[in-house]
Amino acid sequence: MPSYVVLLGPPGAGKGTQAERISDELGLAHISSGDIFRENLKNQTELGKKAQGYMNRGELVPDDLTIEMIKDRLQRDDCKAGALLDGFPRTPAQAEALGKMLAEWNGKVDCVPYISVPAEELITRLCGRWTCRAQGHVYHEKFNPSKKPGVCDVDGSELYQRDDDKKETVERRISVYLEQTSPLIEYYKKLGVLAEIDGTLPIDQVTSLMLKALKKG
Ligand code: AP5
């Protein structure tokens, strides 16, 4: 049976960082809704043009567009064994839609590691984040620097700062998270699949705790 893991946590909690480290170990495709939107934006597809304004303002792209995009992505061959979802679902409607689509495929959400980090720390993390232009590998100028400044350790591509990592946009993203996404903590707790992880610990320790939670889940 395919296995589905949902990474939950505020912007900057470390979802992308951890997904990059654990997806191979779990044998699951890493599906990041933010990366798919950014790819569409770069290629100026219809979806990218529709999503652009919302992303620049730090708001959520409407549910119907997002759900359709993820449904399509989860049906590709690399998700046959399941997926590690990073950034989706982000609203109760998206969580309901995910549950329904997985049930149609005889699957369910097996585990939801929730990476908790206080808001002040999130701002420091996002304002110092550098992202690889080719494949989205993530660094931090202080907490996780690349070996050579401005260059990705993995593929040698240029590192850039995301448009939505400006302080005002980060603050908006955090308040949108608190209003629209944080209810999912209770939602998945009730389903008995939530595993809270202390995201203020060093990156390696967060990875170990996540793997431990996932092996139990
Ligand atoms: P998205 O790309 O998903 O952004 P996000 O959820 O805001 O998450 P981030 O990528 O900012 O943070 P992260 O938790 O992955 O942290 P990271 O590992 O990089 O979404 C962007 C936009 O797309 C949204 O605003 C919305 O418009 C749209 N969108 C996406 N999905 C959507 C959906 N489902 N519905 C509607 N709209 C959607 O780490 C952050 C930094 O901290 C890095 O520099 C890293 O090196 C550092 N770091 C990580 N872990 C640690 C640690 N333990 N200690 C110290 N530093 C650390």
Side-chain angles (χ1 to χ4, degrees), residues 10-17 33-35 37-38 54-55 58-61 66 86-90 94 121 125-126 128-130 138-140 143-144 162 164 173 199 201-203 206:
K15 303 182 295 295
T17 301
S33 45
D35 284 352
F37 280 131
R38 279 184 288 280
Y54 298 100
M55 293 178 78
E59 289 165 9
L60 296 184
V61 178
T66 308
D86 158 13
F88 181 93
R90 248 172 156 105
Q94 292 182 14
E121 168 87 13
R125 286 192 185 182
L126 292 178
R129 169 168 63 183
W130 289 83
V138 177
Y139 301 86
H140 189 280
F143 307 130
N144 182 27
R162 275 170 43 178
D164 60 351
R173 286 163 59 200
L201 295 169
I203 294 174
V206 177

mmCIF file of all heavy atoms in Angstrom, residues 10-17 33-35 37-38 54-55 58-61 66 86-90 94 121 125-126 128-130 138-140 143-144 162 164 173 199 201-203 206, ligand 1:
data_model
loop_
_atom_site.group_PDB
_atom_site.id
_atom_site.type_symbol
_atom_site.label_atom_id
_atom_site.label_comp_id
_atom_site.label_asym_id
_atom_site.label_seq_id
_atom_site.Cartn_x
_atom_site.Cartn_y
_atom_site.Cartn_z
ATOM 1 N N PRO A 10 4.956 25.962 10.334
ATOM 2 C CA PRO A 10 4.887 27.314 9.785
ATOM 3 C C PRO A 10 5.954 27.557 8.716
ATOM 4 O O PRO A 10 6.892 26.765 8.600
ATOM 5 C CB PRO A 10 5.130 28.187 11.025
ATOM 6 C CG PRO A 10 5.860 27.315 11.981
ATOM 7 C CD PRO A 10 5.378 25.928 11.742
ATOM 8 N N PRO A 11 5.842 28.654 7.992
ATOM 9 C CA PRO A 11 6.873 29.002 7.004
ATOM 10 C C PRO A 11 8.218 29.125 7.715
ATOM 11 O O PRO A 11 8.308 29.806 8.741
ATOM 12 C CB PRO A 11 6.438 30.388 6.484
ATOM 13 C CG PRO A 11 5.069 30.624 6.964
ATOM 14 C CD PRO A 11 4.784 29.662 8.070
ATOM 15 N N GLY A 12 9.232 28.440 7.195
ATOM 16 C CA GLY A 12 10.564 28.536 7.797
ATOM 17 C C GLY A 12 10.817 27.527 8.903
ATOM 18 O O GLY A 12 11.892 27.505 9.500
ATOM 19 N N ALA A 13 9.862 26.635 9.161
ATOM 20 C CA ALA A 13 10.051 25.649 10.234
ATOM 21 C C ALA A 13 11.138 24.636 9.874
ATOM 22 O O ALA A 13 11.732 24.012 10.757
ATOM 23 C CB ALA A 13 8.742 24.916 10.500
ATOM 24 N N GLY A 14 11.368 24.453 8.572
ATOM 25 C CA GLY A 14 12.374 23.481 8.140
ATOM 26 C C GLY A 14 11.763 22.314 7.374
ATOM 27 O O GLY A 14 12.399 21.266 7.229
ATOM 28 N N LYS A 15 10.576 22.505 6.821
ATOM 29 C CA LYS A 15 9.909 21.405 6.088
ATOM 30 C C LYS A 15 10.740 20.996 4.862
ATOM 31 O O LYS A 15 11.015 19.816 4.649
ATOM 32 C CB LYS A 15 8.488 21.834 5.642
ATOM 33 C CG LYS A 15 7.587 22.271 6.792
ATOM 34 C CD LYS A 15 6.190 22.637 6.329
ATOM 35 C CE LYS A 15 6.127 23.845 5.416
ATOM 36 N NZ LYS A 15 6.530 25.126 6.038
ATOM 37 N N GLY A 16 11.152 21.995 4.082
ATOM 38 C CA GLY A 16 11.925 21.697 2.859
ATOM 39 C C GLY A 16 13.270 21.079 3.207
ATOM 40 O O GLY A 16 13.708 20.107 2.573
ATOM 41 N N THR A 17 13.933 21.649 4.215
ATOM 42 C CA THR A 17 15.254 21.141 4.641
ATOM 43 C C THR A 17 15.144 19.668 5.027
ATOM 44 O O THR A 17 15.949 18.831 4.609
ATOM 45 C CB THR A 17 15.749 21.963 5.869
ATOM 46 O OG1 THR A 17 15.833 23.325 5.481
ATOM 47 C CG2 THR A 17 17.073 21.469 6.387
ATOM 48 N N SER A 33 4.475 21.824 -2.699
ATOM 49 C CA SER A 33 3.526 22.666 -3.451
ATOM 50 C C SER A 33 4.169 24.004 -3.799
ATOM 51 O O SER A 33 3.986 24.525 -4.907
ATOM 52 C CB SER A 33 2.237 22.877 -2.645
ATOM 53 O OG SER A 33 2.537 23.188 -1.310
ATOM 54 N N GLY A 34 4.980 24.562 -2.862
ATOM 55 C CA GLY A 34 5.634 25.847 -3.142
ATOM 56 C C GLY A 34 6.584 25.720 -4.333
ATOM 57 O O GLY A 34 6.607 26.593 -5.217
ATOM 58 N N ASP A 35 7.365 24.623 -4.394
ATOM 59 C CA ASP A 35 8.297 24.441 -5.523
ATOM 60 C C ASP A 35 7.531 24.310 -6.838
ATOM 61 O O ASP A 35 7.958 24.829 -7.872
ATOM 62 C CB ASP A 35 9.153 23.175 -5.331
ATOM 63 C CG ASP A 35 10.257 23.368 -4.300
ATOM 64 O OD1 ASP A 35 10.467 24.513 -3.846
ATOM 65 O OD2 ASP A 35 10.900 22.360 -3.937
ATOM 66 N N PHE A 37 4.582 25.587 -7.566
ATOM 67 C CA PHE A 37 4.114 26.938 -7.943
ATOM 68 C C PHE A 37 5.279 27.771 -8.496
ATOM 69 O O PHE A 37 5.125 28.460 -9.503
ATOM 70 C CB PHE A 37 3.493 27.647 -6.739
ATOM 71 C CG PHE A 37 2.078 27.227 -6.451
ATOM 72 C CD1 PHE A 37 1.685 26.861 -5.171
ATOM 73 C CD2 PHE A 37 1.112 27.203 -7.465
ATOM 74 C CE1 PHE A 37 0.377 26.477 -4.896
ATOM 75 C CE2 PHE A 37 -0.206 26.820 -7.192
ATOM 76 C CZ PHE A 37 -0.567 26.460 -5.911
ATOM 77 N N ARG A 38 6.453 27.732 -7.826
ATOM 78 C CA ARG A 38 7.588 28.551 -8.282
ATOM 79 C C ARG A 38 8.038 28.128 -9.678
ATOM 80 O O ARG A 38 8.401 28.961 -10.510
ATOM 81 C CB ARG A 38 8.758 28.483 -7.288
ATOM 82 C CG ARG A 38 8.567 29.425 -6.095
ATOM 83 C CD ARG A 38 9.762 29.434 -5.164
ATOM 84 N NE ARG A 38 9.860 28.212 -4.400
ATOM 85 C CZ ARG A 38 9.139 27.943 -3.306
ATOM 86 N NH1 ARG A 38 8.303 28.828 -2.840
ATOM 87 N NH2 ARG A 38 9.258 26.795 -2.660
ATOM 88 N N TYR A 54 -0.896 36.029 -5.388
ATOM 89 C CA TYR A 54 -1.081 35.477 -4.037
ATOM 90 C C TYR A 54 0.273 35.244 -3.389
ATOM 91 O O TYR A 54 0.482 35.583 -2.222
ATOM 92 C CB TYR A 54 -1.845 34.146 -4.079
ATOM 93 C CG TYR A 54 -3.239 34.272 -4.640
ATOM 94 C CD1 TYR A 54 -3.516 33.929 -5.951
ATOM 95 C CD2 TYR A 54 -4.288 34.759 -3.853
ATOM 96 C CE1 TYR A 54 -4.799 34.038 -6.480
ATOM 97 C CE2 TYR A 54 -5.575 34.879 -4.366
ATOM 98 C CZ TYR A 54 -5.816 34.523 -5.685
ATOM 99 O OH TYR A 54 -7.077 34.645 -6.187
ATOM 100 N N MET A 55 1.195 34.622 -4.140
ATOM 101 C CA MET A 55 2.499 34.281 -3.575
ATOM 102 C C MET A 55 3.262 35.547 -3.193
ATOM 103 O O MET A 55 3.855 35.622 -2.130
ATOM 104 C CB MET A 55 3.303 33.444 -4.570
ATOM 105 C CG MET A 55 2.668 32.093 -4.787
ATOM 106 S SD MET A 55 3.555 31.113 -5.972
ATOM 107 C CE MET A 55 4.943 30.525 -5.008
ATOM 108 N N GLY A 58 2.178 36.856 -0.014
ATOM 109 C CA GLY A 58 2.331 35.954 1.134
ATOM 110 C C GLY A 58 1.019 35.296 1.510
ATOM 111 O O GLY A 58 0.844 34.840 2.636
ATOM 112 N N GLU A 59 0.075 35.278 0.550
ATOM 113 C CA GLU A 59 -1.233 34.652 0.829
ATOM 114 C C GLU A 59 -1.312 33.285 0.166
ATOM 115 O O GLU A 59 -0.492 32.948 -0.682
ATOM 116 C CB GLU A 59 -2.343 35.563 0.273
ATOM 117 C CG GLU A 59 -2.446 36.811 1.133
ATOM 118 C CD GLU A 59 -3.245 37.919 0.493
ATOM 119 O OE1 GLU A 59 -3.874 37.684 -0.554
ATOM 120 O OE2 GLU A 59 -3.218 39.016 1.061
ATOM 121 N N LEU A 60 -2.352 32.534 0.514
ATOM 122 C CA LEU A 60 -2.490 31.201 -0.071
ATOM 123 C C LEU A 60 -3.140 31.281 -1.452
ATOM 124 O O LEU A 60 -4.069 32.066 -1.666
ATOM 125 C CB LEU A 60 -3.347 30.297 0.831
ATOM 126 C CG LEU A 60 -2.778 29.999 2.209
ATOM 127 C CD1 LEU A 60 -3.684 29.025 2.957
ATOM 128 C CD2 LEU A 60 -1.372 29.425 2.112
ATOM 129 N N VAL A 61 -2.671 30.456 -2.345
ATOM 130 C CA VAL A 61 -3.299 30.304 -3.661
ATOM 131 C C VAL A 61 -4.651 29.608 -3.407
ATOM 132 O O VAL A 61 -4.745 28.751 -2.507
ATOM 133 C CB VAL A 61 -2.383 29.440 -4.573
ATOM 134 C CG1 VAL A 61 -3.002 29.219 -5.937
ATOM 135 C CG2 VAL A 61 -0.997 30.089 -4.689
ATOM 136 N N THR A 66 -4.993 24.712 -6.139
ATOM 137 C CA THR A 66 -3.943 23.963 -5.438
ATOM 138 C C THR A 66 -4.278 22.472 -5.388
ATOM 139 O O THR A 66 -3.418 21.616 -5.635
ATOM 140 C CB THR A 66 -3.785 24.544 -4.012
ATOM 141 O OG1 THR A 66 -3.618 25.951 -4.118
ATOM 142 C CG2 THR A 66 -2.612 23.950 -3.301
ATOM 143 N N ASP A 86 5.073 18.347 1.252
ATOM 144 C CA ASP A 86 5.687 19.485 1.942
ATOM 145 C C ASP A 86 4.955 20.761 1.509
ATOM 146 O O ASP A 86 5.083 21.194 0.376
ATOM 147 C CB ASP A 86 7.183 19.466 1.553
ATOM 148 C CG ASP A 86 7.897 20.786 1.700
ATOM 149 O OD1 ASP A 86 7.357 21.710 2.322
ATOM 150 O OD2 ASP A 86 9.031 20.889 1.185
ATOM 151 N N GLY A 87 4.111 21.309 2.413
ATOM 152 C CA GLY A 87 3.383 22.549 2.084
ATOM 153 C C GLY A 87 1.948 22.313 1.652
ATOM 154 O O GLY A 87 1.228 23.259 1.356
ATOM 155 N N PHE A 88 1.535 21.093 1.612
ATOM 156 C CA PHE A 88 0.153 20.725 1.288
ATOM 157 C C PHE A 88 -0.242 19.560 2.183
ATOM 158 O O PHE A 88 0.556 18.630 2.310
ATOM 159 C CB PHE A 88 0.028 20.310 -0.183
ATOM 160 C CG PHE A 88 -1.390 19.939 -0.574
ATOM 161 C CD1 PHE A 88 -2.239 20.889 -1.117
ATOM 162 C CD2 PHE A 88 -1.867 18.648 -0.372
ATOM 163 C CE1 PHE A 88 -3.549 20.559 -1.457
ATOM 164 C CE2 PHE A 88 -3.184 18.317 -0.699
ATOM 165 C CZ PHE A 88 -4.018 19.279 -1.245
ATOM 166 N N PRO A 89 -1.425 19.573 2.788
ATOM 167 C CA PRO A 89 -2.471 20.603 2.756
ATOM 168 C C PRO A 89 -2.144 21.772 3.680
ATOM 169 O O PRO A 89 -1.334 21.647 4.594
ATOM 170 C CB PRO A 89 -3.698 19.857 3.261
ATOM 171 C CG PRO A 89 -3.144 18.781 4.151
ATOM 172 C CD PRO A 89 -1.812 18.402 3.604
ATOM 173 N N ARG A 90 -2.822 22.880 3.417
ATOM 174 C CA ARG A 90 -2.599 24.097 4.194
ATOM 175 C C ARG A 90 -3.904 24.742 4.647
ATOM 176 O O ARG A 90 -3.871 25.807 5.240
ATOM 177 C CB ARG A 90 -1.895 25.093 3.289
ATOM 178 C CG ARG A 90 -0.482 25.411 3.665
ATOM 179 C CD ARG A 90 0.041 26.232 2.533
ATOM 180 N NE ARG A 90 1.099 27.084 2.831
ATOM 181 C CZ ARG A 90 2.350 26.859 2.478
ATOM 182 N NH1 ARG A 90 2.693 25.722 1.928
ATOM 183 N NH2 ARG A 90 3.245 27.767 2.703
ATOM 184 N N GLN A 94 -8.304 21.697 1.977
ATOM 185 C CA GLN A 94 -7.261 20.914 1.285
ATOM 186 C C GLN A 94 -7.048 19.571 1.991
ATOM 187 O O GLN A 94 -6.833 18.541 1.337
ATOM 188 C CB GLN A 94 -5.943 21.690 1.251
ATOM 189 C CG GLN A 94 -5.976 22.933 0.362
ATOM 190 C CD GLN A 94 -4.634 23.667 0.307
ATOM 191 O OE1 GLN A 94 -3.596 23.144 0.715
ATOM 192 N NE2 GLN A 94 -4.656 24.887 -0.202
ATOM 193 N N GLU A 121 11.800 33.252 15.693
ATOM 194 C CA GLU A 121 12.860 32.443 15.072
ATOM 195 C C GLU A 121 12.597 32.282 13.565
ATOM 196 O O GLU A 121 13.520 32.267 12.762
ATOM 197 C CB GLU A 121 12.894 31.086 15.785
ATOM 198 C CG GLU A 121 13.702 30.006 15.125
ATOM 199 C CD GLU A 121 15.170 30.021 15.528
ATOM 200 O OE1 GLU A 121 15.507 30.711 16.499
ATOM 201 O OE2 GLU A 121 15.972 29.336 14.845
ATOM 202 N N ARG A 125 15.124 32.979 10.363
ATOM 203 C CA ARG A 125 15.442 31.899 9.422
ATOM 204 C C ARG A 125 15.138 32.296 7.978
ATOM 205 O O ARG A 125 15.942 32.072 7.074
ATOM 206 C CB ARG A 125 14.626 30.652 9.755
ATOM 207 C CG ARG A 125 15.137 29.950 10.980
ATOM 208 C CD ARG A 125 14.482 28.609 11.071
ATOM 209 N NE ARG A 125 14.838 27.937 12.299
ATOM 210 C CZ ARG A 125 14.420 26.727 12.597
ATOM 211 N NH1 ARG A 125 13.603 26.095 11.767
ATOM 212 N NH2 ARG A 125 14.783 26.151 13.719
ATOM 213 N N LEU A 126 13.960 32.877 7.767
ATOM 214 C CA LEU A 126 13.562 33.146 6.369
ATOM 215 C C LEU A 126 14.327 34.325 5.794
ATOM 216 O O LEU A 126 14.675 34.319 4.612
ATOM 217 C CB LEU A 126 12.054 33.369 6.278
ATOM 218 C CG LEU A 126 11.254 32.092 6.565
ATOM 219 C CD1 LEU A 126 9.765 32.356 6.522
ATOM 220 C CD2 LEU A 126 11.614 30.984 5.596
ATOM 221 N N GLY A 128 17.316 34.983 6.361
ATOM 222 C CA GLY A 128 18.699 34.589 6.070
ATOM 223 C C GLY A 128 18.778 33.366 5.169
ATOM 224 O O GLY A 128 19.820 32.738 5.040
ATOM 225 N N ARG A 129 17.658 33.003 4.564
ATOM 226 C CA ARG A 129 17.646 31.784 3.726
ATOM 227 C C ARG A 129 18.160 32.072 2.312
ATOM 228 O O ARG A 129 17.855 33.083 1.717
ATOM 229 C CB ARG A 129 16.228 31.245 3.638
ATOM 230 C CG ARG A 129 16.090 30.142 2.580
ATOM 231 C CD ARG A 129 14.820 29.402 2.666
ATOM 232 N NE ARG A 129 13.650 30.201 2.434
ATOM 233 C CZ ARG A 129 12.399 29.738 2.531
ATOM 234 N NH1 ARG A 129 12.205 28.479 2.863
ATOM 235 N NH2 ARG A 129 11.383 30.511 2.298
ATOM 236 N N TRP A 130 18.925 31.152 1.785
ATOM 237 C CA TRP A 130 19.384 31.198 0.392
ATOM 238 C C TRP A 130 18.955 29.886 -0.264
ATOM 239 O O TRP A 130 19.121 28.820 0.322
ATOM 240 C CB TRP A 130 20.905 31.378 0.324
ATOM 241 C CG TRP A 130 21.302 32.760 0.746
ATOM 242 C CD1 TRP A 130 21.469 33.194 2.030
ATOM 243 C CD2 TRP A 130 21.522 33.891 -0.096
ATOM 244 N NE1 TRP A 130 21.782 34.525 2.034
ATOM 245 C CE2 TRP A 130 21.835 34.991 0.752
ATOM 246 C CE3 TRP A 130 21.506 34.099 -1.476
ATOM 247 C CZ2 TRP A 130 22.102 36.258 0.259
ATOM 248 C CZ3 TRP A 130 21.786 35.361 -1.971
ATOM 249 C CH2 TRP A 130 22.075 36.433 -1.105
ATOM 250 N N VAL A 138 18.221 24.117 0.015
ATOM 251 C CA VAL A 138 18.053 25.247 0.934
ATOM 252 C C VAL A 138 19.238 25.413 1.882
ATOM 253 O O VAL A 138 19.743 24.436 2.429
ATOM 254 C CB VAL A 138 16.778 25.019 1.778
ATOM 255 C CG1 VAL A 138 16.599 26.132 2.800
ATOM 256 C CG2 VAL A 138 15.557 24.975 0.880
ATOM 257 N N TYR A 139 19.677 26.675 2.061
ATOM 258 C CA TYR A 139 20.777 27.002 2.989
ATOM 259 C C TYR A 139 20.356 28.156 3.881
ATOM 260 O O TYR A 139 19.337 28.817 3.627
ATOM 261 C CB TYR A 139 22.031 27.421 2.181
ATOM 262 C CG TYR A 139 22.497 26.345 1.256
ATOM 263 C CD1 TYR A 139 21.953 26.229 -0.036
ATOM 264 C CD2 TYR A 139 23.438 25.409 1.672
ATOM 265 C CE1 TYR A 139 22.351 25.215 -0.884
ATOM 266 C CE2 TYR A 139 23.844 24.380 0.827
ATOM 267 C CZ TYR A 139 23.294 24.284 -0.449
ATOM 268 O OH TYR A 139 23.685 23.275 -1.284
ATOM 269 N N HIS A 140 21.156 28.395 4.914
ATOM 270 C CA HIS A 140 20.953 29.589 5.738
ATOM 271 C C HIS A 140 22.320 30.218 5.966
ATOM 272 O O HIS A 140 23.286 29.506 6.270
ATOM 273 C CB HIS A 140 20.310 29.226 7.076
ATOM 274 C CG HIS A 140 19.886 30.447 7.836
ATOM 275 N ND1 HIS A 140 20.751 31.217 8.580
ATOM 276 C CD2 HIS A 140 18.681 31.059 7.920
ATOM 277 C CE1 HIS A 140 20.088 32.231 9.106
ATOM 278 N NE2 HIS A 140 18.829 32.163 8.724
ATOM 279 N N PHE A 143 22.925 29.454 9.932
ATOM 280 C CA PHE A 143 22.664 28.127 10.529
ATOM 281 C C PHE A 143 23.064 26.955 9.638
ATOM 282 O O PHE A 143 23.235 25.852 10.124
ATOM 283 C CB PHE A 143 21.174 27.982 10.863
ATOM 284 C CG PHE A 143 20.627 29.093 11.714
ATOM 285 C CD1 PHE A 143 19.464 29.748 11.356
ATOM 286 C CD2 PHE A 143 21.285 29.475 12.875
ATOM 287 C CE1 PHE A 143 18.956 30.784 12.144
ATOM 288 C CE2 PHE A 143 20.783 30.507 13.665
ATOM 289 C CZ PHE A 143 19.613 31.163 13.293
ATOM 290 N N ASN A 144 23.154 27.198 8.334
ATOM 291 C CA ASN A 144 23.447 26.083 7.416
ATOM 292 C C ASN A 144 24.057 26.650 6.130
ATOM 293 O O ASN A 144 23.463 26.586 5.063
ATOM 294 C CB ASN A 144 22.123 25.345 7.123
ATOM 295 C CG ASN A 144 22.315 24.142 6.227
ATOM 296 O OD1 ASN A 144 23.385 23.532 6.198
ATOM 297 N ND2 ASN A 144 21.281 23.809 5.458
ATOM 298 N N ARG A 162 14.511 34.291 -2.011
ATOM 299 C CA ARG A 162 13.141 34.291 -2.547
ATOM 300 C C ARG A 162 12.468 35.649 -2.361
ATOM 301 O O ARG A 162 12.683 36.304 -1.349
ATOM 302 C CB ARG A 162 12.311 33.203 -1.836
ATOM 303 C CG ARG A 162 12.475 31.842 -2.482
ATOM 304 C CD ARG A 162 11.884 30.712 -1.699
ATOM 305 N NE ARG A 162 10.577 30.929 -1.109
ATOM 306 C CZ ARG A 162 9.908 30.003 -0.408
ATOM 307 N NH1 ARG A 162 10.442 28.808 -0.234
ATOM 308 N NH2 ARG A 162 8.727 30.258 0.097
ATOM 309 N N ASP A 164 9.474 36.229 -1.635
ATOM 310 C CA ASP A 164 8.557 36.267 -0.493
ATOM 311 C C ASP A 164 9.285 36.124 0.856
ATOM 312 O O ASP A 164 8.655 35.940 1.875
ATOM 313 C CB ASP A 164 7.435 35.221 -0.634
ATOM 314 C CG ASP A 164 7.939 33.793 -0.724
ATOM 315 O OD1 ASP A 164 9.154 33.576 -0.858
ATOM 316 O OD2 ASP A 164 7.108 32.865 -0.644
ATOM 317 N N ARG A 173 2.963 35.887 5.812
ATOM 318 C CA ARG A 173 2.880 34.429 5.661
ATOM 319 C C ARG A 173 2.658 33.761 7.023
ATOM 320 O O ARG A 173 1.904 32.794 7.124
ATOM 321 C CB ARG A 173 4.164 33.889 5.013
ATOM 322 C CG ARG A 173 4.227 34.210 3.526
ATOM 323 C CD ARG A 173 5.622 34.055 2.972
ATOM 324 N NE ARG A 173 6.183 32.741 3.115
ATOM 325 C CZ ARG A 173 7.483 32.487 3.063
ATOM 326 N NH1 ARG A 173 8.349 33.464 2.873
ATOM 327 N NH2 ARG A 173 7.912 31.257 3.189
ATOM 328 N N GLY A 199 11.277 21.895 16.425
ATOM 329 C CA GLY A 199 12.032 22.386 15.261
ATOM 330 C C GLY A 199 13.082 23.409 15.603
ATOM 331 O O GLY A 199 13.754 23.933 14.706
ATOM 332 N N LEU A 201 15.631 22.640 17.473
ATOM 333 C CA LEU A 201 16.879 21.873 17.654
ATOM 334 C C LEU A 201 17.727 21.967 16.382
ATOM 335 O O LEU A 201 17.216 22.309 15.312
ATOM 336 C CB LEU A 201 16.539 20.401 17.945
ATOM 337 C CG LEU A 201 15.796 20.167 19.269
ATOM 338 C CD1 LEU A 201 15.263 18.737 19.341
ATOM 339 C CD2 LEU A 201 16.718 20.473 20.442
ATOM 340 N N PRO A 202 19.021 21.635 16.486
ATOM 341 C CA PRO A 202 19.852 21.651 15.275
ATOM 342 C C PRO A 202 19.290 20.704 14.198
ATOM 343 O O PRO A 202 18.607 19.714 14.524
ATOM 344 C CB PRO A 202 21.214 21.170 15.774
ATOM 345 C CG PRO A 202 21.207 21.467 17.242
ATOM 346 C CD PRO A 202 19.783 21.317 17.685
ATOM 347 N N ILE A 203 19.574 21.041 12.940
ATOM 348 C CA ILE A 203 18.985 20.339 11.790
ATOM 349 C C ILE A 203 19.140 18.804 11.892
ATOM 350 O O ILE A 203 18.176 18.070 11.670
ATOM 351 C CB ILE A 203 19.600 20.884 10.474
ATOM 352 C CG1 ILE A 203 19.181 22.358 10.306
ATOM 353 C CG2 ILE A 203 19.199 20.036 9.267
ATOM 354 C CD1 ILE A 203 19.807 23.090 9.130
ATOM 355 N N VAL A 206 16.760 17.316 14.415
ATOM 356 C CA VAL A 206 15.376 17.308 13.922
ATOM 357 C C VAL A 206 15.196 16.115 12.968
ATOM 358 O O VAL A 206 14.206 15.383 13.045
ATOM 359 C CB VAL A 206 15.017 18.653 13.219
ATOM 360 C CG1 VAL A 206 13.614 18.604 12.647
ATOM 361 C CG2 VAL A 206 15.147 19.823 14.194
HETATM 362 P P1 AP5 B 1 6.220 27.311 0.404
HETATM 363 O O1 AP5 B 1 7.325 27.291 -0.562
HETATM 364 O O2 AP5 B 1 5.587 26.031 0.805
HETATM 365 O O3 AP5 B 1 6.695 28.126 1.659
HETATM 366 P P2 AP5 B 1 6.438 27.888 3.218
HETATM 367 O O4 AP5 B 1 5.505 26.899 3.747
HETATM 368 O O5 AP5 B 1 6.183 29.264 3.638
HETATM 369 O O6 AP5 B 1 7.679 27.174 3.662
HETATM 370 P P3 AP5 B 1 9.097 27.591 3.413
HETATM 371 O O7 AP5 B 1 9.632 26.975 2.169
HETATM 372 O O8 AP5 B 1 9.245 29.092 3.498
HETATM 373 O O9 AP5 B 1 9.781 27.033 4.736
HETATM 374 P P4 AP5 B 1 10.231 25.579 5.146
HETATM 375 O O10 AP5 B 1 9.427 25.116 6.312
HETATM 376 O O11 AP5 B 1 10.329 24.664 3.969
HETATM 377 O O12 AP5 B 1 11.671 25.937 5.726
HETATM 378 P P5 AP5 B 1 13.124 25.654 5.113
HETATM 379 O O13 AP5 B 1 13.450 24.207 5.185
HETATM 380 O O14 AP5 B 1 13.318 26.341 3.803
HETATM 381 O O15 AP5 B 1 5.013 28.253 -0.129
HETATM 382 C C1 AP5 B 1 5.283 29.507 -0.754
HETATM 383 C C2 AP5 B 1 3.961 30.103 -1.235
HETATM 384 O O16 AP5 B 1 3.333 29.234 -2.214
HETATM 385 C C3 AP5 B 1 2.882 30.288 -0.156
HETATM 386 O O17 AP5 B 1 3.049 31.507 0.571
HETATM 387 C C4 AP5 B 1 1.602 30.274 -1.007
HETATM 388 O O18 AP5 B 1 1.388 31.494 -1.660
HETATM 389 C C5 AP5 B 1 1.907 29.212 -2.069
HETATM 390 N N1 AP5 B 1 1.487 27.857 -1.625
HETATM 391 C C6 AP5 B 1 2.292 26.774 -1.416
HETATM 392 N N2 AP5 B 1 1.566 25.723 -1.023
HETATM 393 C C7 AP5 B 1 0.272 26.126 -0.974
HETATM 394 C C8 AP5 B 1 -0.939 25.479 -0.601
HETATM 395 N N3 AP5 B 1 -0.968 24.209 -0.201
HETATM 396 N N4 AP5 B 1 -2.083 26.203 -0.663
HETATM 397 C C9 AP5 B 1 -2.085 27.489 -1.090
HETATM 398 N N5 AP5 B 1 -0.959 28.158 -1.427
HETATM 399 C C10 AP5 B 1 0.216 27.484 -1.365
HETATM 400 O O19 AP5 B 1 14.010 26.394 6.236
HETATM 401 C C11 AP5 B 1 13.988 27.797 6.382
HETATM 402 C C12 AP5 B 1 15.394 28.321 6.738
HETATM 403 O O20 AP5 B 1 15.741 27.858 8.039
HETATM 404 C C13 AP5 B 1 16.489 27.812 5.799
HETATM 405 O O21 AP5 B 1 17.418 28.850 5.598
HETATM 406 C C14 AP5 B 1 17.142 26.626 6.568
HETATM 407 O O22 AP5 B 1 18.497 26.451 6.240
HETATM 408 C C15 AP5 B 1 16.933 27.072 8.014
HETATM 409 N N6 AP5 B 1 16.680 25.946 8.914
HETATM 410 C C16 AP5 B 1 15.918 24.851 8.688
HETATM 411 N N7 AP5 B 1 15.899 24.044 9.775
HETATM 412 C C17 AP5 B 1 16.655 24.680 10.734
HETATM 413 C C18 AP5 B 1 17.030 24.352 12.087
HETATM 414 N N8 AP5 B 1 16.596 23.213 12.678
HETATM 415 N N9 AP5 B 1 17.823 25.217 12.740
HETATM 416 C C19 AP5 B 1 18.265 26.375 12.154
HETATM 417 N N10 AP5 B 1 17.958 26.718 10.864
HETATM 418 C C20 AP5 B 1 17.170 25.893 10.182
#
